[in-house]
Amino acid sequence: MSVVTSRASDPVVTIGGETANPVSRKVPIVFTAVTVIAVLAAISARSGDTAFRFTRSSADPTQLPEMHLPVCPTLWVIAVLLAVGTLFAWRRLLVRRKVPMWLVAVYGTLAVIGFLVWAGVGHAIPLVGLLGGALSLAVPLVYGALAGVIGERVGVVNIAIEAQLLSGAFTAAIVSSVTKQPLLALPAAMVTGMLVGMVLAAFSLKYLVDQVIVGVVLNVLVIGLTSFLYSQVLVPHADQLNTPVRLDALPIPLLSDIPVIGPVFFRQTIVVYLMYVAVAVVAAGLFRTRWGLRLRAVGEHPKAADTVGIKVISTRLWNVALAGAIAGLGGTFFTIGSGIAFNKQMTAGMGYIALAAVIFGKWHPIKATLAALLFGFASNLQNTLSVIGSPVPSEFMLMLPYVVTILAVAGLVGKSRAPAASGKPYVKG
Amino acid sequence: MKLELREITKRFGALVANDRISLAVEPGEIHALLGENGAGKSTLMNVLYGLYASDSGEILLDGVPQRFTGPGDAMAAGIGMVHQHFMLVPCFTVAENVMLGHEATRFGGFLNLDAARDKVREIADRFGFDLDPDALVEDLPVGVQQRVEIIKALSRDAKVLVFDEPTAVLTPQETDELMGIMRQLRDSGAAIVFITHKLREVREVADRITVIRLGKVVGEASPTATNAELASLMVGRAVELIVHKNPPRLGEVGLAVSELTVIDHHGTHVVKNVSFEVRRGEILAIAGVQGNGQTELTEALLGLQKHVRGSIRLDGVEVSGQSVRHLLDAGVGFVPEDRNEDGLVGDFSVAENLMLDRAHGEPFVKAGSVQQRKLMEFARSKVAEFDVRTQGIDEHVKFLSGGNQQKVVIARELSRELRLLVAAQPTRGVDVGSVEFIHEQIVAARDAGVPVVVVSTELDEVSALADRIMVMYGGHIVGIVPGATSRSDLGLMMAGERMTEGAAA
Ligand SMILES: Nc1ncnc2c1ncn2[C@@H]1O[C@H](COP(=O)(O)OP(=O)(O)OP(=O)(O)O)[C@@H](O)[C@H]1O
Ligand SMILES: [Mg+2]
């Protein structure tokens, strides 16, 4: 047996008598890898310029000139900055301090800019379109992720997000087509999403069917049902039933005039504004209010919650229903939010990606939202680059959103733990 | 408020856990409920609290029949309970746990955490408990969790209070404080049911005593009865309350710990530069108020703590930094202080729990498959030997009574070849008859030449078992003294006062 006094992987260093937290090495390692890649890119870069466009159209109130960056020098500058950041991260590790979040954010942004410069050589990158599109792609994901967070926090795995999104999209299309009032479609979509949530709750809470199985079955069922109704009812009567009136963008005065940020965040539809509100409300509610405390208690230790008089089953039921309503609202984005008619399987697995965002976001509404936004950004980056034509093979580009999400999460998110009773039925003894 | 239970019957399958039990508790009375492990005490209280629905019988409060569909109803009717198995949410803070279910809120449903903190501090002060309202419950040792569970029950001004073994992991001082509080509550007119296995407490605080055996009321006793009388009424036979043990036959140093420091995941030093030795054939008992590093020290001995400096030698061989698997195979027996968290898998059967740490090879597993026959035989013999009251060895462990779960852990750890035994709160929640048996088994292990480390908050247990006593305070060793040291000296040391160092270190 060898003499091991402290573990090599987790050295403990003492500073002034007290020991600081053991710190993870992930961040410096990821930083190093990115820096190496940046240097390689700088070495191999083709000469030329990359342009960044800051305005969408000549109608924008504030017109900013395009910015032209010479590829080689820019990449070198970025590589050096990244290297400095990496050194700083290693230094923090040596003194057992965490790498601050702002550094990770700045580092990530620099790396992305570097990538854009490298990939967009000889082209103009429409920044507003890139970011705005990213936000749009993320909207249903954010709603879905919130629904997932609420579900898991209260102890029910909400696999049926996909079904809730899809049924919301479907209902919204019909209601908006029939009434010509897209605003009416919002509550209607919430109701259908809620119904899907309640079916999930009824089977898993009352009949104790495995939650994952019910969720998957619901997804298949709703896909089948909407596809059937689509081809049997919507297609023949497309004029009456499937020409949804689109939600108008409502520019927010003043805020929408800010360059870049304005058009991206504040010239959106009500669905997007409601999303901002929903994220804030869920985040504050979950951790600061009685509703959230009880909800989390039920998801962590239902018996303890029961012994203080909280009704476990009905808490779960109503919160799963609420989650369904939120996802249903997110579903409206596919149809009336984008002005597109309903189509078979138009959610295309977004519900599952939302679920992934829940886990990547450590069951936290804000972090899950960030994960969803990151995914949206990577997806839209892929769109934008394939439109302007970039040197990267398109097969690789299609992988980009997934690769980026996995890397960001695996590399930078710390250890996480699901709510203890998530997925477990509560049976009184 | 007057509490009356009439003819309560509760069955679990074929087992009649409560067989027409009647019990009356007057306002202003402390009523002690005594009985062996598995007698049905907790079951009866869970029926009262609305957690179980009784098969027949009535609950009356001030003469009015009650219908409880859940704990919410019972609480609304003025019943409060300290649960034997803590009902705390691990990832919540102390304050959040205390406020849960009757949260003070500000405008818009926002939690008023300040009010909850104040409440925790106020009740903790009344007890002389030291408790940080913002500590996460999962970071607290069981003794401290017990304090939280008590504070939670007291925070709601109940008229009928049930204490289900609240003192199993409290120190004598804390127990005295708690009994003081119980008297105060009684004097202000509360009806109190008090369940404990410690006869000293019963005689000190109880006004009336009811004894339950095998689900039936077998009689009442007066608080003036002697320990021996109470014990024999409970168990149905005479019980030896003193452990017989011969002077130790000391062998070589078995366990040598030197300059051991343990750092928890917050980066706090919880065990500070601790050195001691335990010889083969010797029992070293570690005494001290919970939360002074005992838990982390025992966990470090089994390799459960991540950040450990210093050396731990087993029979002269360095083992610190080794994996838990390795240490178990090397013959370290470990009884964790929190059996539900670390000692048992609730959804596994009794038999499976008995082989839990030997699931990777002989004798129970051959070529990757469990030797069912061998396991069943083994389990049956252990269940008989340790008197585990269960419906069968296939019963899920989570359905066993608290004391019987403890016996499963003890049986498992004591039925292997050991080179070191580390036992934290070995008799937590165990009835007097079984305490006797478990103590005999620990002494037998010591006499067979095993070095033994026992951690206990119960000074009677410490004095009964220890050849030497080590007292910890604030992560340090206050002193190591002979087994015969008086209670009052130990009490002083547990408060951090240094004695002149005893026989050996
Ligand atoms: N949910 C359950 N399902 C099946 N059997 C149970 C259940 N709860 C308790 N039992 C059984 O009922 C009997 C009484 O258990 P109970 O917990 O009331 O004992 P107790 O008197 O509190 O014992 P202890 O002193 O060990 O806590 C035990 O034999 C136990 O195995
Ligand atoms: Mg009990």
Side-chain angles (χ1 to χ4, degrees):
Chain A
M1 253 184 279
S2 64
V3 178
V4 186
T5 43
S6 79
R7 284 176 216 178
S9 59
D10 285 299
V12 171
V13 176
T14 312
I15 313 151
E18 281 304 306
T19 299
N21 282 335
V23 182
S24 143
R25 296 180 167 188
K26 269 197 218 157
V27 176
I29 288 174
V30 172
F31 276 20
T32 311
V34 173
T35 309
V36 169
I37 294 172
V39 170
L40 291 178
I43 292 171
S44 65
R46 292 168 298 166
S47 60
D49 278 4
T50 301
F52 285 88
R53 224 183 286 142
F54 295 102
T55 34
R56 187 157 18 198
S57 66
S58 45
D60 281 356
T62 31
Q63 290 286 333
L64 295 173
E66 279 188 6
M67 187 162 79
H68 289 267
L69 294 175
V71 174
C72 240
T74 313
L75 282 181
W76 276 114
V77 169
I78 287 179
V80 168
L81 287 175
L82 291 183
V84 170
T86 306
L87 284 179
F88 182 72
W90 282 110
R91 238 199 79 75
R92 298 288 286 190
L93 182 79
L94 284 182
V95 298
R96 320 291 312 165
R97 291 274 185 278
K98 268 207 182 124
V99 179
M101 215 46 221
W102 63 261
L103 181 66
V104 176
V106 169
Y107 199 94
T109 314
L110 273 176
V112 168
I113 294 175
F115 179 74
L116 287 176
V117 169
W118 177 77
V121 57
H123 302 280
I125 290 177
L127 209 55
V128 173
L130 178 63
L131 295 177
L135 183 69
S136 297
L137 283 172
V139 169
L141 288 178
V142 171
Y143 276 108
L146 288 181
V149 167
I150 293 179
E152 298 228 356
R153 285 277 183 178
V154 82
V156 179
V157 181
N158 190 358
I159 299 273
I161 298 173
E162 178 82 3
Q164 290 154 358
L165 289 174
L166 193 59
S167 59
F170 181 80
T171 320
I174 294 186
V175 173
S176 169
S177 307
V178 172
T179 64
K180 311 286 175 220
Q181 293 286 340
L183 281 182
L184 278 184
L186 298 182
M190 290 176 80
V191 170
T192 34
M194 188 168 191
L195 286 178
V196 176
M198 287 178 113
V199 175
L200 172 69
F203 277 95
S204 57
L205 301 176
K206 183 137 172 47
Y207 302 109
L208 306 180
V209 187
D210 186 282
Q211 295 167 0
V212 174
I213 293 176
V214 186
V216 171
V217 169
L218 274 174
N219 286 344
V220 176
L221 180 76
V222 171
I223 290 175
L225 201 62
T226 51
S227 301
F228 170 77
L229 290 174
Y230 171 74
S231 46
Q232 295 301 310
V233 184
L234 293 194
V235 173
H237 305 95
D239 286 348
Q240 298 98 309
L241 295 179
N242 203 11
T243 39
V245 178
R246 167 185 194 142
L247 283 168
D248 292 325
L250 306 169
I252 295 181
L254 294 179
L255 287 178
S256 62
D257 295 338
I258 306 171
V260 185
I261 294 179
V264 171
F265 291 103
F266 302 112
R267 220 170 287 167
Q268 296 283 4
T269 63
I270 182 144
V271 178
V272 177
Y273 298 139
L274 283 176
M275 176 185 88
Y276 303 153
V277 177
V279 172
V281 167
V282 171
L286 219 41
F287 299 104
R288 301 241 158 82
T289 67
R290 171 161 61 195
W291 165 70
L293 190 76
R294 293 187 170 189
L295 181 158
R296 286 183 294 133
V298 165
E300 288 286 345
H301 194 332
K303 189 158 188 197
D306 193 0
T307 61
V308 292
I310 298 170
K311 296 213 159 42
V312 175
I313 302 293
S314 68
T315 306
R316 286 191 169 171
L317 173 73
W318 288 114
N319 282 298
V320 172
L322 171 69
I326 292 177
L329 183 57
T332 62
F333 188 82
F334 291 100
T335 48
I336 60 171
S338 329
I340 303 176
F342 182 81
N343 206 333
K344 277 185 196 177
Q345 295 198 36
M346 70 187 311
T347 49
M350 289 291 230
Y352 295 102
I353 301 284
L355 208 59
V358 172
I359 295 162
F360 290 163
K362 297 202 220 176
W363 293 269
H364 190 290
I366 300 215
K367 289 179 186 157
T369 300
L370 292 177
L373 286 172
L374 181 67
F375 184 86
F377 178 76
S379 306
N380 201 40
L381 187 60
Q382 176 241 317
N383 291 343
T384 312
L385 290 183
S386 48
V387 168
I388 63 171
S390 81
V392 194
S394 62
E395 289 82 5
F396 174 80
M397 290 307 296
L398 285 176
M399 278 167 32
L400 188 69
Y402 306 94
V403 172
V404 166
T405 314
I406 289 178
L407 273 188
V409 167
L412 305 175
V413 176
K415 73 161 187 267
S416 61
R417 187 180 65 181
S422 180
K424 299 198 187 113
Y426 179 63
V427 194
K428 275 197 165 188
Chain B
M1 203 184 307
K2 178 176 166 149
L3 165 71
E4 251 185 294
L5 300 174
R6 278 199 201 143
E7 305 264 307
I8 300 277
T9 299
K10 175 70 190 168
R11 292 192 196 87
F12 293 113
L15 177 94
V16 188
N18 290 163
D19 190 358
R20 283 178 288 128
I21 294 190
S22 297
L23 187 76
V25 188
E26 301 289 335
E29 175 183 89
I30 299 178
H31 197 121
L33 213 49
L34 289 188
E36 297 174 284
N37 294 133
K41 306 176 296 291
S42 299
T43 304
L44 184 66
M45 292 302 114
N46 285 334
V47 167
L48 166 63
Y49 196 63
L51 269 170
Y52 293 158
S54 62
D55 293 308
S56 67
E58 267 190 316
I59 300 168
L60 293 91
L61 290 175
D62 281 337
V64 185
Q66 306 286 324
R67 290 224 55 79
F68 298 154
T69 56
D73 295 347
M75 282 186 344
I79 300 174
M81 178 153 167
V82 173
H83 299 267
Q84 180 177 17
H85 295 138
F86 306 149
M87 290 299 161
L88 301 171
V89 182
C91 60
F92 281 12
T93 65
V94 172
E96 284 170 339
N97 266 293
V98 169
M99 80 196 301
L100 186 65
H102 62 149
E103 303 85 353
T105 51
R106 300 200 169 98
F107 177 74
F110 282 89
L111 298 171
N112 187 348
L113 270 172
D114 289 330
R117 286 191 194 103
D118 289 345
K119 187 115 199 169
V120 171
R121 282 201 200 93
E122 176 212 312
I123 302 176
D125 285 347
R126 252 162 64 195
F127 266 91
F129 279 173
D130 176 24
L131 196 57
D132 171 10
D134 291 317
L136 284 181
V137 162
E138 63 194 349
D139 291 340
L140 301 174
V142 281
V144 185
Q145 291 187 16
Q146 178 74 70
R147 299 174 208 167
V148 181
E149 180 75 18
I150 292 172
I151 287 177
K152 197 174 101 184
L154 292 179
S155 71
R156 316 186 156 220
D157 306 317
K159 309 278 188 324
V160 175
L161 261 170
V162 177
F163 291 90
D164 193 352
E165 296 191 30
T167 58
V169 283
L170 293 187
T171 57
Q173 285 89 335
E174 288 173 333
T175 302
D176 290 340
E177 298 288 351
L178 176 63
M179 290 195 292
I181 295 259
M182 283 166 54
R183 285 194 201 94
Q184 275 176 30
L185 290 168
R186 168 189 64 192
D187 295 341
S188 64
I192 295 177
V193 181
F194 179 36
I195 300 175
T196 179
H197 290 292
K198 300 180 186 171
L199 302 176
R200 167 181 88 93
E201 297 163 10
V202 176
R203 286 190 302 129
E204 206 162 299
V205 80
D207 300 309
R208 279 206 292 159
I209 302 171
T210 296
V211 182
I212 301 184
R213 200 186 314 144
L214 299 174
K216 291 198 180 76
V217 174
V218 292
E220 294 221 345
S222 113
T224 52
T226 64
N227 277 354
E229 283 167 2
L230 288 175
S232 69
L233 195 55
M234 260 171 80
V235 188
R237 65 177 165 90
V239 180
E240 293 256 14
L241 292 167
I242 305 154
V243 189
H244 287 293
K245 72 179 207 267
N246 301 319
R249 287 199 319 267
L250 296 182
E252 312 194 327
V253 172
L255 172 71
V257 173
S258 79
E259 301 186 352
L260 187 77
T261 295
V262 180
I263 298 146
D264 70 8
H265 62 269
H266 297 302
T268 327
H269 288 221
V270 280
V271 174
K272 297 172 186 157
N273 210 13
V274 159
S275 304
F276 62 92
E277 285 177 352
V278 188
R279 291 171 170 271
R280 289 154 162 271
E282 179 189 41
I283 299 178
L284 176 77
I286 304 181
V289 180
Q290 276 260 304
N292 279 290
Q294 304 95 324
T295 309
E296 291 82 0
L297 174 60
T298 55
E299 287 178 355
L301 293 181
L302 191 69
L304 280 168
Q305 285 283 340
K306 249 189 138 183
H307 304 286
V308 172
R309 271 184 290 152
S311 110
I312 301 171
R313 284 162 173 273
L314 194 55
D315 293 330
V317 183
E318 181 64 47
V319 295
S320 97
Q322 301 286 353
S323 69
V324 175
R325 170 82 277 142
H326 185 105
L327 285 159
L328 287 174
D329 289 345
V332 179
F334 182 71
V335 179
E337 62 168 20
D338 189 345
R339 57 181 173 247
N340 298 105
E341 195 59 39
D342 306 317
L344 295 166
V345 180
D347 285 316
F348 281 14
S349 71
V350 173
E352 283 163 340
N353 271 287
L354 281 168
M355 63 164 275
L356 212 51
D357 55 0
R358 280 190 277 175
H360 63 297
E362 306 268 343
F364 299 122
V365 179
K366 272 201 193 118
S369 70
V370 176
Q371 303 295 297
Q372 286 298 342
R373 178 111 50 79
K374 201 163 232 162
L375 174 61
M376 295 304 146
E377 255 167 49
F378 172 76
R380 271 192 209 100
S381 76
K382 288 299 158 190
V383 162
E385 184 185 345
F386 284 81
D387 189 26
V388 179
R389 307 282 170 89
T390 163
Q391 293 202 62
I393 53 173
D394 299 327
E395 180 90 329
H396 284 195
V397 148
K398 70 174 176 196
F399 293 139
L400 263 54
S401 81
N404 284 306
Q405 292 179 356
Q406 184 72 21
K407 290 189 222 166
V408 173
V409 177
I410 297 274
R412 178 182 67 218
E413 296 305 317
L414 285 177
S415 50
R416 293 193 284 141
E417 278 290 308
L418 292 181
R419 276 166 62 202
L420 170 68
L421 174 64
V422 180
Q425 315 288 359
T427 57
R428 175 183 177 200
V430 166
D431 67 39
V432 278
S434 307
V435 167
E436 174 195 14
F437 177 76
I438 290 174
H439 282 175
E440 279 166 14
Q441 295 299 310
I442 292 177
V443 170
R446 157 229 198 211
D447 288 343
V450 178
V452 179
V453 177
V454 171
V455 178
S456 179
T457 46
E458 181 62 25
L459 279 184
D460 290 334
E461 177 159 280
V462 168
S463 321
L465 290 175
D467 297 314
R468 284 186 302 144
I469 301 173
M470 173 167 120
V471 182
M472 289 187 72
Y473 182 79
H476 291 287
I477 296 180
V478 182
I480 300 183
V481 292
T485 309
S486 73
R487 286 181 81 107
S488 56
D489 283 355
L490 287 177
L492 283 177
M493 289 173 73
M494 283 163 67
E497 218 155 296
R498 260 168 211 285
M499 294 281 121
T500 41
E501 295 278 317

